[in-house]
Amino acid sequence: MGTYILKRIMAIIPIFLLANLLTFGMIHLSPVDPAEAYLSAAHIQPTDEMLAQKRHEFGLDQPLHVQYVNSIIKICQFDFGISYVSNKPVWDEVTYRMPATIQLALGSIILAILVSVPLGFWAGIKKNSGIDHFSRLLSFFGASIPSFWLGYLLIFFFSVKLDLFPVEGIGTWQHLVLPSITLALPLIALYTRLLRASVLENLQEPYILFARTRGIHEKVIMGKHVLRIAISPMITGLGMNLGKLLTGTIIVEAVFSWPGFGRYFIEAIFNRDVPVIQCYVLLAAGLFIISNLIVDLIQMCIDPRISRKGGQRQ
Amino acid sequence: MSKRRNSKQVLFISTIVLILSTFLLGCTNESKENSTSNKDSKDMLTFAWPRDIGEMNPHVYNPSQLFAQSMIYEPLVSYQEGGELKPQLAESWEISKDGKEYTFNLRQDVKFSDGTSFNAENVKKNFDAILKNVDLHSWLGFIPKVDQTEVIDQNTFKLTLKEPYYPTIQELAVVRPVRFLGDAGFPKDGDTSKGVTKPVGTGPWVLEEYKADEYAIFKRNEDYWGELPKVKKIKIKIIPDAETRVLAFEKGDLDLIYGEGVISLDAFKQLETTGNYETSISEPVATRQLVMNTKKEQLSDLRVRQALQYGFNKKAMVDGVTSGLEEKADFILPTNFPYTSDLDIKPINYNVEKAKALLDEAGWKLPKGKNVREKDGKPLEIELMYDSAESIQKAMAETLQSEWAALGVKLNIVGVELTVQIQRFKANDFELNFFSNYGAPYDPHTFVNIVGSEGFGFSEAISSYPNRDKLLKQIADVPRTTDEKERQELYSTILESLQEQGAIAPISYIKKIAVYQKDVSNFTFPANRDEHPFTGISIE
């Protein structure tokens, strides 16, 4: 198992390099010159000399391979460079905004679990009941409504009309409610359906019949056996969504004026703030890789069969 | 069994309802308390802005927000309605006959917010810090022309230029970089381009509290030399999304929404029609123009350029696209700017027949059975480039496409990113493009200068003007003129000629909007496009 984990960790390096190469390539293929974008964003009418000076300052006048190698060396030292716009170290800027994004992502993932686990489980064991229909409706709604629109709707009803929650900002738990719901709803839709399907599938398994014939109490069968096994695909889904969730906060952060790093990234795109864009893409790649790794490990603990399979693979 | 199940379901649902209602009730009470505290008192005006205010350094640009910089820092001269230049930190000034020496008599009762005095030494220190980075600031015409900065005495400062440059005084009114930082704000090496130690200014506001990306609170500078602001505090909430700004305003969390393009035109109209709020629209701050590249064959003929202008209903388009918030423009610069009101030009009005006749005359005939005009077998096809993120440009491009199709002109519209639009314009790689001038206090001299300078797109775009060389000479002469009358004549000739030759077509005058709660009064738009609007504002 130890070797397996080590192998998985080692696999992170080529993925990172590839992600970095892709961002690097995309930025350099774009028709927009970052130096010019920087000066235009500052409302400066750039002259050729100013552009040349800025390009030199940003290191854009060096050959491409030198720029690429330099960027790799710096990243290894956790140096993501200086933001073209704010002139401050990108890493400081990102870590300053990270806690807010993590708070929002955690809020919505907890909400998603709290709602989708009981709902999906219940809908599975009570197929075609009222609760099943309700879960289907909620999933349909959650999967199809665009986040920004849901955000506006929630603000309009719960903030403007009912005055229950603040429209925007951060600070109290009330501030967290609407953005968390907005971000959690698509996840609820997904997890509820996943869990329901998995529960239905497990109910058909022979071990259930066996357990019943052994006279084990229905509650124990459902709780200890069905739920435990059925939850496995949901955890996989959760892991795949963790990275997506952190990067998906962008729209929600903009709608609710949440001062996280998603918003910071949007501004960076508009300003062609290359170091910030690069840092963001690498972080996102890292989040995806690490969250998938964690999920795999959790899976191993929950379902010993996976761990055995893992063992065999070694 | 089923009875038991039902009763269990009822019990479960009632528990959920109970928990939810307790939760919601809790929220209601707390958020009610919150909202009353949010509303604060009459002493604080709450305002929303899309971006963080940035570093309060008077000598740097992005991401610092102009309006916030103008709250803390003041200029020597201020730009007022109609282009009038009024004393601010300089009580008066004299300009030498040769137009090279500017002597400023500084106001004596001015103190920085840390209690230190504003004086000529400080003015020189600021100018020298700016001049250390001439390249960074060279876009502002007078900066590269500065030869010398001198302290004559405690209250007199002299600026000497290498050559006469009349817009110097006007450019001293801009928000950055020529505003004054107190000595305590300078870093040890004096190079403010890398940062300031604290934001110390002479302006009516002092930054009290600031949380990046969240909010900034400015308090009134009680020792301000001029008229004290009526409200004690201004809270600026950073709300990046326009719709959220509108919702926050409707909830009463904001007292004021102000600016250019800060909310959608639909939202503005909707807020206006409720009758619950006050709304206001400014004087023109700039002109939306259509630039035609005369280097392109089909646009090199004056008759084609004129035909295109005759060929669309400008008023209907502007009213339709901007819901009447912008005004149809007859001149390439708004007439509330200096030197722009005295022009002898006949605006081009909608006249399809004349447009068709002009195209026929220019040799672009409509072959039978075809929709697009042709000349020597070549179709009359033109490309219009617009900023894809700007809904107004896009809608206008689409309108022009359908209007000109009726004339037999095929207009291809291409949406590009703003940075690409600027780049292509500067590289002269376009046929038709949208542009807008810089506004107060930069124009008309900055606009005219851009038209005359190579590498900005205009000078190349007007290359087939028969009077191009003469025009460029006049443009070069304008800033050097020391005679007011001569300057007015030059500007009139330049602007008339630019417009008559038809490569720059005025479309609409861009305006700022303001929406405020009924208890906000005395709101006025600043004459300087980049200044803050909080002077004189009060809450009843």
Side-chain angles (χ1 to χ4, degrees):
Chain A
M1 193 166 142
T3 336
Y4 173 65
I5 297 173
L6 196 71
K7 263 189 187 172
R8 289 287 309 267
I9 292 173
M10 291 302 280
I12 293 175
I13 298 168
I15 301 174
F16 259 117
L17 284 176
L18 190 70
N20 190 39
L21 184 68
L22 281 177
T23 5
F24 187 82
M26 276 191 281
I27 288 164
H28 284 83
L29 282 176
S30 149
V32 178
D33 175 3
E36 187 148 3
Y38 167 80
L39 293 167
S40 322
H43 303 283
I44 299 172
Q45 298 142 23
T47 59
D48 288 345
E49 296 83 48
M50 286 165 78
L51 282 174
Q53 194 208 330
K54 275 283 158 217
R55 279 193 202 110
H56 179 69
E57 216 174 280
F58 296 162
L60 297 166
D61 53 352
Q62 291 175 335
L64 276 186
H65 63 276
V66 177
Q67 287 186 47
Y68 180 66
V69 172
N70 281 346
S71 77
I72 300 274
I73 294 170
K74 281 187 173 170
I75 288 163
C76 292
Q77 299 160 338
F78 261 78
D79 174 5
F80 288 91
I82 305 285
S83 158
Y84 291 175
V85 178
S86 66
N87 274 323
K88 289 181 183 143
V90 171
W91 187 242
D92 292 357
E93 298 265 90
V94 168
T95 42
Y96 172 78
R97 288 163 175 89
M98 200 52 148
T101 302
I102 292 177
Q103 193 188 352
L104 183 58
L106 277 183
S108 29
I109 215 140
I110 291 170
L111 186 68
I113 292 171
L114 284 181
V115 177
S116 57
V117 170
L119 191 63
F121 186 64
W122 206 3
I125 55 175
K126 310 258 181 210
K127 195 181 166 190
N128 291 331
S129 67
I131 194 79
D132 191 20
H133 293 312
F134 171 73
S135 84
R136 194 173 297 146
L137 197 72
L138 187 74
S139 300
F140 179 70
F141 182 69
S144 47
I145 193 166
S147 293
F148 70 92
W149 194 54
L150 176 66
Y152 294 144
L153 283 183
L154 291 175
I155 294 178
F156 183 71
F157 285 111
F158 293 102
S159 272
V160 179
K161 292 289 163 199
L162 299 175
D163 197 15
L164 293 175
F165 299 104
V167 174
E168 46 75 45
I170 185 171
T172 64
W173 66 269
Q174 286 103 323
H175 285 100
L176 192 61
V177 176
L178 298 185
S180 295
I181 295 176
T182 313
L183 207 54
L185 201 63
L187 299 181
I188 292 173
L190 181 71
Y191 299 155
T192 308
R193 297 316 283 170
L194 263 179
L195 191 60
R196 178 187 175 273
S198 182
V199 166
L200 280 176
E201 197 184 305
N202 273 285
L203 285 176
Q204 306 297 321
E205 293 281 328
Y207 76 87
I208 299 289
L209 188 67
F210 182 59
R212 276 182 184 149
T213 50
R214 276 166 63 209
I216 298 175
H217 197 277
E218 195 70 11
K219 269 186 190 162
V220 180
I221 297 177
M222 291 302 161
K224 274 204 161 177
H225 301 283
V226 177
L227 184 62
R228 196 167 153 179
I229 304 290
I231 215 159
S232 175
M234 193 183 138
I235 291 173
T236 314
L238 201 72
M240 288 168 76
N241 276 303
L242 199 68
K244 207 166 139 190
L245 193 69
L246 283 169
T247 48
T249 50
I250 293 176
I251 293 172
V252 178
E253 282 182 8
V255 168
F256 290 94
S257 309
W258 194 266
F261 88 144
R263 242 173 78 184
Y264 179 61
F265 178 56
I266 293 195
E267 277 190 24
I269 293 177
F270 281 119
N271 294 324
R272 297 276 159 169
D273 198 344
V274 176
V276 178
I277 299 175
Q278 268 172 335
C279 178
Y280 185 88
V281 173
L282 282 178
L283 272 181
L287 283 170
F288 272 98
I289 297 166
I290 291 164
S291 58
N292 276 329
L293 180 67
I294 292 172
V295 163
D296 285 356
L297 296 179
I298 294 176
Q299 293 273 34
M300 266 190 222
C301 300
I302 290 184
D303 191 345
R305 289 176 301 177
I306 298 174
S307 138
R308 275 202 298 279
K309 274 179 210 160
Q312 277 161 11
R313 236 182 281 153
Q314 292 169 42
Chain B
M1 175 82 187
S2 77
K3 218 177 179 185
R4 228 180 84 194
R5 193 195 296 159
N6 277 345
S7 65
K8 264 190 165 181
Q9 273 187 356
V10 170
L11 189 72
F12 183 77
I13 291 171
S14 349
T15 322
I16 295 275
V17 169
L18 193 73
I19 293 172
L20 272 178
S21 45
T22 326
F23 171 75
L24 288 179
L25 259 173
C27 300
T28 326
N29 291 342
E30 281 194 45
S31 61
K32 281 251 165 75
E33 276 165 31
N34 261 3
S35 69
T36 42
S37 68
N38 265 352
K39 198 67 197 95
D40 289 302
S41 57
K42 290 175 183 177
D43 294 334
M44 181 147 98
L45 179 95
T46 312
F47 172 64
W49 197 251
R51 298 184 64 189
D52 185 59
I53 58 164
E55 192 192 3
M56 288 293 97
N57 178 341
H59 302 156
V60 299
Y61 304 88
N62 216 19
S64 298
Q65 300 299 295
L66 288 154
F67 87 93
Q69 285 169 308
S70 79
M71 289 170 77
I72 296 182
Y73 304 105
E74 289 185 294
L76 287 175
V77 181
S78 84
Y79 184 96
Q80 298 296 325
E81 284 301 325
E84 197 187 341
L85 295 160
K86 282 200 168 160
Q88 188 83 5
L89 289 180
E91 256 174 347
S92 62
W93 55 88
E94 290 109 45
I95 305 167
S96 67
K97 270 211 162 155
D98 62 359
K100 285 191 196 171
E101 288 173 9
Y102 289 74
T103 312
F104 296 93
N105 302 308
L106 306 179
R107 203 175 283 280
Q108 294 188 25
D109 52 347
V110 178
K111 287 211 181 320
F112 281 102
S113 57
D114 65 344
T116 53
S117 294
F118 169 76
N119 54 40
E121 297 279 355
N122 175 272
V123 173
K124 181 173 163 54
K125 193 172 181 171
N126 273 277
F127 264 101
D128 292 348
I130 296 159
L131 293 170
K132 246 186 200 169
N133 298 290
V134 175
D135 283 345
L136 183 64
H137 309 300
S138 61
W139 63 274
L140 196 62
F142 87 94
I143 301 256
K145 297 188 172 65
V146 174
D147 188 30
Q148 221 181 342
T149 55
E150 279 170 86
V151 174
I152 304 291
D153 62 44
Q154 194 67 356
N155 299 307
T156 318
F157 170 77
K158 192 164 124 185
L159 190 71
T160 312
L161 302 181
K162 293 170 196 156
E163 56 179 275
Y165 182 72
Y166 98 83
T168 300
I169 292 289
Q170 205 169 325
E171 288 185 356
L172 282 170
V174 304
V175 172
R176 55 198 185 195
V178 273
R179 294 204 171 185
F180 302 91
L181 175 73
D183 290 351
F186 278 82
K188 268 188 187 155
D189 62 356
D191 188 359
T192 48
S193 71
K194 293 195 181 73
V196 297
T197 50
K198 54 178 176 177
V200 186
T202 60
W205 304 99
V206 180
L207 183 63
E208 186 184 48
E209 213 182 313
Y210 166 63
K211 209 140 189 234
D213 279 355
E214 290 183 48
Y215 64 87
I217 297 174
F218 288 85
K219 67 172 184 191
R220 184 163 74 183
N221 176 4
E222 298 295 341
D223 300 321
Y224 185 53
W225 61 270
E227 196 188 332
L228 266 192
K230 306 246 177 359
V231 284
K232 282 192 179 149
K233 285 184 179 182
I234 306 274
K235 180 173 185 175
I236 292 148
K237 284 190 177 188
I238 312 304
I239 306 183
D241 188 85
E243 292 307 317
T244 311
R245 282 196 285 277
V246 174
L247 289 166
F249 179 78
E250 282 185 302
K251 192 183 174 214
D253 286 353
L254 300 176
D255 296 307
L256 169 72
I257 293 177
Y258 149 90
E260 286 167 53
V262 285
I263 56 172
S264 69
L265 300 177
D266 286 340
F268 179 83
K269 280 280 159 194
Q270 183 244 322
L271 290 174
E272 191 178 38
T273 46
T274 60
N276 298 332
Y277 317 106
E278 299 288 336
T279 55
S280 177
I281 303 175
S282 76
E283 289 282 294
V285 294
T287 311
R288 202 183 283 284
Q289 307 161 349
L290 194 64
V291 187
M292 308 189 191
N293 191 352
T294 66
K295 258 193 172 170
K296 304 286 168 184
E297 198 197 330
Q298 63 275 45
L299 293 167
S300 61
D301 191 324
L302 172 64
R303 290 168 295 192
V304 175
R305 300 197 294 268
Q306 282 179 336
L308 292 179
Q309 294 196 48
Y310 279 114
F312 73 97
N313 191 340
K314 196 190 289 180
K315 186 165 185 341
M317 178 172 90
V318 173
D319 285 350
V321 174
T322 72
S323 313
L325 292 188
E326 287 184 12
E327 186 188 323
K328 168 191 169 236
D330 286 334
F331 303 99
I332 53 179
L333 289 183
T335 50
N336 55 341
F337 288 180
Y339 311 109
T340 55
S341 54
D342 211 10
L343 303 185
D344 180 25
I345 315 170
K346 229 175 123 197
I348 292 184
N349 290 318
Y350 184 47
N351 188 339
V352 179
E353 290 317 310
K354 191 156 183 185
K356 285 180 179 166
L358 279 164
L359 287 173
D360 282 335
E361 204 181 302
W364 294 97
K365 308 270 187 198
L366 195 61
K368 268 202 178 142
K370 285 197 177 172
N371 300 325
V372 180
R373 285 172 186 268
E374 284 176 9
K375 186 176 174 181
D376 306 329
K378 231 181 117 188
L380 184 48
E381 205 171 326
I382 311 170
E383 185 190 276
L384 168 60
M385 175 168 71
Y386 67 90
D387 172 7
S388 52
E390 228 229 66
S391 57
I392 294 183
Q393 280 189 19
K394 182 170 189 274
M396 285 186 170
E398 285 163 353
T399 314
L400 289 173
Q401 190 179 40
S402 82
E403 289 263 55
W404 287 343
L407 296 181
V409 178
K410 184 165 188 264
L411 183 70
N412 302 315
I413 57 175
V414 185
V416 293
E417 256 185 86
L418 176 65
T419 33
V420 175
Q421 187 183 31
I422 296 169
Q423 235 168 16
R424 279 187 57 186
F425 184 46
K426 287 177 61 182
N428 204 240
D429 174 24
F430 74 101
E431 292 180 357
L432 289 178
N433 182 32
F434 284 106
F435 181 84
S436 71
N437 59 298
Y438 302 88
Y442 308 96
D443 288 330
H445 67 273
T446 308
F447 174 70
V448 167
N449 178 44
I450 292 291
V451 173
S453 308
E454 270 179 37
F456 285 99
F458 274 109
S459 147
E460 295 82 356
I462 60 165
S463 55
S464 71
Y465 275 21
N467 60 342
R468 180 174 181 263
D469 293 338
K470 195 178 156 203
L471 195 62
L472 292 184
K473 193 186 170 298
Q474 286 168 332
I475 288 174
D477 283 344
V478 159
R480 290 198 283 262
T481 48
T482 46
D483 181 52
E484 181 72 25
K485 209 176 145 219
E486 195 189 333
R487 198 181 299 149
Q488 174 69 66
E489 276 168 16
L490 273 172
Y491 268 125
S492 299
T493 325
I494 294 166
L495 293 171
E496 281 164 17
S497 173
L498 279 178
Q499 193 164 342
E500 271 164 11
Q501 291 294 326
I504 305 168
I507 297 181
S508 64
Y509 295 131
I510 299 171
K511 296 177 173 192
K512 286 191 187 222
I513 58 111
V515 191
Y516 40 99
Q517 307 285 358
K518 292 240 169 181
D519 56 359
V520 173
S521 53
N522 302 322
F523 175 86
T524 46
F525 287 98
N528 180 334
R529 193 178 186 183
D530 301 329
E531 279 265 5
H532 68 83
F534 307 121
T535 308
I537 214 165
S538 56
I539 305 179
E540 276 150 20

